[in-house]
Amino acid sequence: MTEGRAPRKAPAGAKKRTSGAVIKAKFPGRCHCQKPYAAGEKIAKNAHGWGHVECREAAAG
């Protein structure tokens, strides 16, 4: 009976998790470098949480 069914899709609200994602911050926050970032600023996931893209690149290189 499952022959005619389409494959299941992820729910509309589901997001893929990527380790190298750069996103815009929804809320203001503070990077592990102790400098703040504003809502709307681009941030990236790093070993210490979320922070400036430059801080992630500095820690990786």
Side-chain angles (χ1 to χ4, degrees):
M1 294 191 113
T2 60
E3 293 175 40
R5 291 187 181 185
R8 294 189 87 164
K9 293 183 180 179
K15 295 182 181 179
K16 288 186 179 181
R17 303 252 180 206
T18 57
S19 59
V22 175
I23 63 168
K24 286 188 177 181
K26 287 186 178 181
F27 306 100
R30 190 169 295 274
C31 181
H32 72 276
C33 71
Q34 298 305 311
K35 293 181 184 175
Y37 56 84
E41 189 175 336
K42 289 186 178 184
I43 59 172
K45 185 78 170 175
N46 59 44
H48 305 284
W50 290 95
H52 302 109
V53 177
E54 300 82 26
C55 294
R56 177 187 70 174
E57 292 170 353

